[in-house]
Amino acid sequence: MENLLRFGEKLFDELEIAVYRSRNVSASVELNEISMASTRSGAVTVIRGIKDKRLGIAIVDSDEPERIREAIEQAAKMSKLNGRDERWVSLPEPGKYRERQRPNYELEEASPDILVEKLVHGIKLVREKDKSAVVAGGAGGVSWEERHIINSHGVDVSQEGGAAYVYFELVGRKEGVVTPGIFDFDARRDLNLDVEGTVERAVQKVKWAYSVKASRNEDVPVILSPWAIAELFSYALLPAFSGERLVKETTPLAGKIGEKIASDVLTLYDDPFHPLSLEPAIADGEGVPTRKNVLIEEGTFRGFVWDNYWARVYGTESTGNGKRDLGSGGINIGFHNVVIENGKRSLEDLIAEIDRGYLVDGLQGAHSSNPDNGNFAVTANPAFLIEDGEVKGASVFLIAGNVYELLKQASEVTGEQAVIPFMTTMIAPHVKFENVKIAGK
């Protein structure tokens, strides 16, 4: 790598070489049968060079020195074709990294057979617990990645690690009722996936869904599950914390640091070193040290997150939130592991206190939310009616509103948290919101 960097420095004022090696193992379920198992591996190298403030990027599906050398030459040609970016300052300087956590090396050599065994076990458990339910879909996977980032300013950092996941999607058919697809999942940094707990939770929701209850227009307490929270926040809320949006004046949080934007029960932060994190990265996609960044503390907005480019444009420092896009080779502002701090009581405790309300396990249409103002309109499905402290059956309804108004309606979060491997990995509890306006369907 050092020789390649020296070669590239003859062509550029600044140069970055990022090498990614990966191995992915997966298996899938369809209609109670294993439908696929595979193992895939490969390498990608991204070259990012700057000459006279002109950026050149090249990507090659290899980690072989000769191919990387060719990519450096290609990036140099690209930089000559691009216009000058007068806002460009420089690539990152070296920083102090936290001690690497020892990865679980059993993930590096995991076999599809292990996943198939877990999926077959899950299918068997579903059949035993509910003969009217079918495993319509599901999958298990193990990912392993090794990264090495080096640049002409002295950044030289490498890290490795992996994670595993399993999920099951069930559909129940009983007495003329066909339930919506209902799923549950588990994800962690080892192979001890909780198949039994995943199936138990999914089957319970299917049994609730056999009883269909009409919804109506009303203002009621609503509990959003970790998955529903991840869906809504990923689209309506989290983009607003990007420093790029602050520079471009497209975030509703501009000028609000230190102000109350949520209920006191909500504390939200990005922390790659959380014990449940799937990727305890010591460096971001451009080699900047990562850290815990508090976004909301007991309802108060604490700050934005930054990559190197937009931080320098704004006159601040990177928070270690540069995420590499292996499709384009570029860097975007993103999150490592968003955490909603948990409370003390259980989901059952929260349900027991509700005279009439809903438990929402999924939100359809969250992707159409507007992060520029926080507006959203979603369909709650699957959702479950709560009456007199008990779940009575399944419903479907609409929720339209503003995420910042919703944040202020939060009244409690559960002690249990779930790891959600969504767009951004999120660790979230169930969150109860008061007086949510819903429209029955």
Side-chain angles (χ1 to χ4, degrees):
M1 287 282 280
E2 190 67 30
N3 290 336
L4 290 168
L5 191 66
R6 299 287 83 82
F7 167 74
E9 287 177 334
K10 299 175 183 178
L11 305 176
F12 292 104
D13 299 326
E14 300 177 276
L15 178 66
E16 173 188 84
I17 304 174
V19 180
Y20 297 80
R21 302 177 182 90
S22 63
R23 181 176 185 271
N24 294 284
V25 178
S26 63
S28 300
V29 177
E30 187 173 347
L31 299 178
N32 282 348
E33 295 183 352
I34 303 298
S35 59
M36 181 276 292
S38 70
T39 301
R40 299 175 182 175
S41 60
V44 174
T45 300
V46 179
I47 306 300
R48 194 165 58 134
I50 298 90
K51 179 69 174 179
D52 298 326
K53 292 184 179 288
R54 302 175 191 269
L55 174 65
I57 293 178
I59 305 171
V60 60
D61 293 332
S62 174
D63 59 353
E64 297 177 3
E66 187 56 37
R67 297 288 305 280
I68 295 176
R69 185 185 180 98
E70 293 171 359
I72 293 173
E73 293 174 336
Q74 183 63 39
K77 294 176 182 178
M78 295 299 296
S79 69
K80 294 177 182 179
L81 299 175
N82 293 331
R84 286 171 58 88
D85 181 353
E86 299 298 342
R87 295 191 294 188
W88 178 265
V89 178
S90 74
L91 291 171
E93 302 288 338
K96 184 177 181 180
Y97 302 102
R98 290 185 54 156
E99 182 179 353
R100 294 179 181 87
Q101 294 188 20
R102 177 177 172 81
N104 191 324
Y105 286 104
E106 68 173 354
L107 296 169
E108 184 180 12
E109 301 297 332
S111 163
D113 294 341
I114 296 174
L115 298 173
V116 169
E117 180 181 329
K118 293 182 181 296
L119 292 173
V120 169
H121 180 47
I123 294 170
K124 181 181 178 182
L125 288 174
V126 172
R127 288 172 171 171
E128 290 174 353
K129 293 177 179 295
D130 187 348
K131 297 186 183 302
S132 299
V134 174
V135 182
V142 177
S143 62
W144 179 268
E145 186 176 70
E146 301 169 1
R147 309 176 189 175
H148 187 188
I149 301 170
I150 185 171
N151 76 18
S152 52
H153 293 308
V155 168
D156 188 349
V157 59
S158 60
Q159 51 196 334
E160 61 184 0
Y165 71 89
V166 65
Y167 81 89
F168 296 94
E169 181 180 11
L170 312 185
V171 174
R173 187 186 299 268
K174 186 176 183 180
E175 297 177 358
V177 174
V178 179
T179 72
I182 291 174
F183 74 99
D184 217 298
F185 52 88
D186 187 37
R188 55 186 65 199
R189 294 202 308 270
D190 57 50
L191 290 173
N192 298 318
L193 294 164
D194 184 11
V195 174
E196 291 80 5
T198 302
V199 168
E200 182 67 37
R201 293 189 297 271
V203 168
Q204 176 61 77
K205 288 181 281 191
V206 169
K207 290 181 177 180
W208 287 338
Y210 286 137
S211 177
V212 179
K213 302 293 184 181
S215 57
R216 64 194 190 208
N217 297 346
E218 56 185 329
D219 294 0
V220 289
V222 170
I223 300 173
L224 295 186
S225 74
W227 186 264
I229 286 287
E231 288 179 304
L232 182 60
F233 282 16
S234 292
Y235 291 107
L237 178 64
L238 294 183
F241 295 109
S242 166
E244 178 182 356
R245 285 180 173 269
L246 178 63
V247 174
K248 294 181 176 180
E249 300 180 347
T250 58
T251 173
L253 295 176
K256 294 186 177 180
I257 293 178
E259 293 185 13
K260 277 280 188 180
I261 64 168
S263 161
D264 291 347
V265 305
L266 290 180
T267 291
L268 184 74
Y269 50 86
D270 184 35
D271 183 10
F273 311 111
H274 188 279
L276 297 179
S277 171
L278 297 181
E279 185 186 338
I282 62 169
D284 71 359
E286 47 193 347
V288 175
T290 55
R291 67 193 194 195
K292 178 179 178 180
N293 292 299
V294 178
L295 306 172
I296 300 174
E297 182 178 23
E298 295 181 351
T300 300
F301 174 42
R302 291 303 184 196
F304 297 92
V305 293
W306 302 88
D307 64 0
N308 174 71
Y309 177 85
W310 289 106
R312 290 181 184 269
V313 168
Y314 192 70
T316 186
E317 64 177 12
S318 171
T319 57
N321 286 88
K323 302 287 285 186
R324 177 83 60 183
D325 181 347
L326 292 182
S328 68
I331 295 290
N332 300 307
I333 296 176
F335 299 92
H336 301 284
N337 181 62
V338 176
V339 180
I340 300 178
E341 202 164 87
N342 59 329
K344 297 181 179 180
R345 298 201 300 162
S346 68
L347 173 61
E348 290 73 19
D349 290 337
L350 270 61
I351 290 174
E353 294 180 350
I354 295 177
D355 293 329
R356 180 179 173 86
Y358 292 91
L359 169 63
V360 176
D361 201 49
L363 294 173
Q364 299 172 358
H367 65 281
S368 63
S369 304
N370 187 349
D372 292 350
N373 55 26
N375 289 339
F376 66 89
V378 293
T379 299
N381 185 28
F384 305 98
L385 173 66
I386 302 170
E387 286 185 326
D388 301 322
E390 296 181 355
V391 176
K392 299 295 186 179
S395 292
V396 178
F397 53 86
L398 303 178
I399 309 176
N402 183 276
V403 72
Y404 298 100
E405 295 175 2
L406 187 67
L407 291 177
K408 294 176 181 178
Q409 294 169 254
S411 60
E412 190 167 357
V413 297
T414 59
E416 310 97 332
Q417 293 169 305
V419 180
I420 316 295
F422 195 53
M423 295 169 52
T424 294
T425 299
M426 184 176 289
I427 297 172
H430 285 78
V431 182
K432 181 184 178 185
F433 299 91
E434 302 294 342
N435 301 315
V436 178
K437 185 180 294 294
I438 71 169
K441 291 188 69 176

